[in-house]
Amino acid sequence: MEKKDFLYQGKAKCIYKTDDPDVFLVEYRDDATAYNGAKKGTITGKGSLNNQISTYFFELLQNKGIPTHYVEYTGLNEMLVKSLDIIAVEVVVRNIAAGSLARRLGMEEGTVLPGPVVEYYYKSDELGDPLINDDHIKIAGLASKDEMQYIKETALKINDILIQDLNAKNLDLVDYKLEFGRHKSEILLGDEISPDTCRFWDKDTREKLDKDRFRRDMGSVEDAYIEVRRRLTGK
Ligand code: UDP
């Protein structure tokens, strides 16, 4: 598959067209941002680590019957994906209180939640990704009721699959963000699943193995991503 015109640059990935109009090429970069782009930096090796970690998760989910945009791993920093019309709703699933949930509800970070919490954020840099609900999604025309029902059910299925897999790797899945998009008549899981978009904690020590190390200037960011890849893939 030939890499063709550049299509779009996000905060950590570039998207290119290919010779198949239904397939895009995603290039994962080392750039890191936090706090809606206010903090910027580079994490050496992050692009290829996130590509390999996302490949691991997309293959796991596809094998369990979750439709995703993932097509093929094509190189250290590159994967092929199905083209998506992205739904502008960021779906956050939480199992343990951290980040904005801990702040919003005044909960201590690390409190295990009685069951998974699903939240929606409007994917809009200008508005700073505000928290929204089903009614907001409806009035803004972001997705239909049926689409949101499918998305919530699928997010909870994904949660069960990921928790079970990560448990065996001695990792807690604290929270994470998913994006979905439309491809022909289907809704597919898109974007990436990586330490940039998930919080992973070591089950025993609760050591943070994710982008919080960058957000909070904790150091050893690259080592944490390498450790996640090692636990997932053995490499
Ligand atoms: N998240 C993300 N992109 C965003 C916002 C959040 O990938 O634009 C992920 C984040 O890494 C965490 C989860 O979603 O795993 C919940 O993030 P939270 O709302 O706690 O925001 P934070 O306090 O990290 O800004």
Side-chain angles (χ1 to χ4, degrees), residues 35 90 92 94 98-101 103 119 121 129 175-177 196-199 212 215:
Y35 310 116
E90 298 190 345
V92 169
R94 304 177 181 273
S100 69
L101 177 93
R103 287 195 296 275
E119 297 175 343
Y121 293 84
D129 295 353
D175 57 29
Y176 53 100
K177 186 258 299 180
D196 270 13
T197 60
C198 305
R199 287 192 170 97
D212 271 348
R215 291 188 190 100

Side-chain angles (χ1 to χ4, degrees), residues 61-131:
L61 292 171
Q62 292 210 155
N63 289 337
K64 301 273 183 187
I66 304 288
T68 84
H69 72 157
Y70 173 78
V71 175
E72 194 186 354
Y73 176 90
T74 49
L76 275 183
N77 287 65
E78 294 178 356
M79 64 166 65
L80 295 175
V81 299
K82 291 182 187 162
S83 57
L84 288 186
D85 160 28
I86 280 284
I87 294 171
V89 176
E90 298 190 345
V91 179
V92 169
V93 183
R94 304 177 181 273
N95 299 300
I96 296 176
S100 69
L101 177 93
R103 287 195 296 275
R104 181 173 300 110
L105 301 185
M107 283 175 100
E108 193 179 340
E109 193 161 84
T111 308
V112 178
L113 305 174
V117 169
V118 180
E119 297 175 343
Y120 306 123
Y121 293 84
Y122 185 11
K123 189 174 157 64
S124 160
D125 285 339
E126 303 93 84
L127 300 176
D129 295 353
L131 181 70

Side-chain angles (χ1 to χ4, degrees), residues 14-179:
C14 289
I15 314 289
Y16 296 84
K17 287 186 187 174
T18 67
D19 39 26
D20 180 343
D22 290 333
V23 176
F24 290 158
L25 185 145
V26 181
E27 183 182 73
Y28 287 73
R29 303 196 320 269
D30 292 351
D31 307 310
T33 63
Y35 310 116
N36 202 24
K39 181 179 166 84
K40 288 193 174 75
T42 303
I43 302 170
T44 312
K46 177 171 82 73
S48 72
L49 287 159
N50 279 356
N51 187 36
Q52 292 166 68
I53 292 167
S54 290
T55 295
Y56 173 86
F57 283 123
F58 282 130
E59 289 182 350
L60 170 75
L61 292 171
Q62 292 210 155
N63 289 337
K64 301 273 183 187
I66 304 288
T68 84
H69 72 157
Y70 173 78
V71 175
E72 194 186 354
Y73 176 90
T74 49
L76 275 183
N77 287 65
E78 294 178 356
M79 64 166 65
L80 295 175
V81 299
K82 291 182 187 162
S83 57
L84 288 186
D85 160 28
I86 280 284
I87 294 171
V89 176
E90 298 190 345
V91 179
V92 169
V93 183
R94 304 177 181 273
N95 299 300
I96 296 176
S100 69
L101 177 93
R103 287 195 296 275
R104 181 173 300 110
L105 301 185
M107 283 175 100
E108 193 179 340
E109 193 161 84
T111 308
V112 178
L113 305 174
V117 169
V118 180
E119 297 175 343
Y120 306 123
Y121 293 84
Y122 185 11
K123 189 174 157 64
S124 160
D125 285 339
E126 303 93 84
L127 300 176
D129 295 353
L131 181 70
I132 52 174
N133 65 22
D134 282 299
D135 287 340
H136 298 143
I137 292 169
K138 194 169 151 195
I139 59 158
L142 303 181
S144 72
K145 198 175 158 197
D146 286 353
E147 285 177 327
M148 287 315 296
Q149 191 181 335
Y150 171 81
I151 285 173
K152 185 168 184 183
E153 274 169 22
T154 306
L156 290 171
K157 276 189 207 159
I158 291 170
N159 197 45
D160 288 342
I161 296 166
L162 296 183
I163 287 178
Q164 197 191 9
D165 189 76
L166 290 166
N167 218 0
K169 275 115 193 179
N170 211 38
L171 288 171
D172 270 330
L173 180 60
V174 175
D175 57 29
Y176 53 100
K177 186 258 299 180
L178 302 173
E179 293 185 22

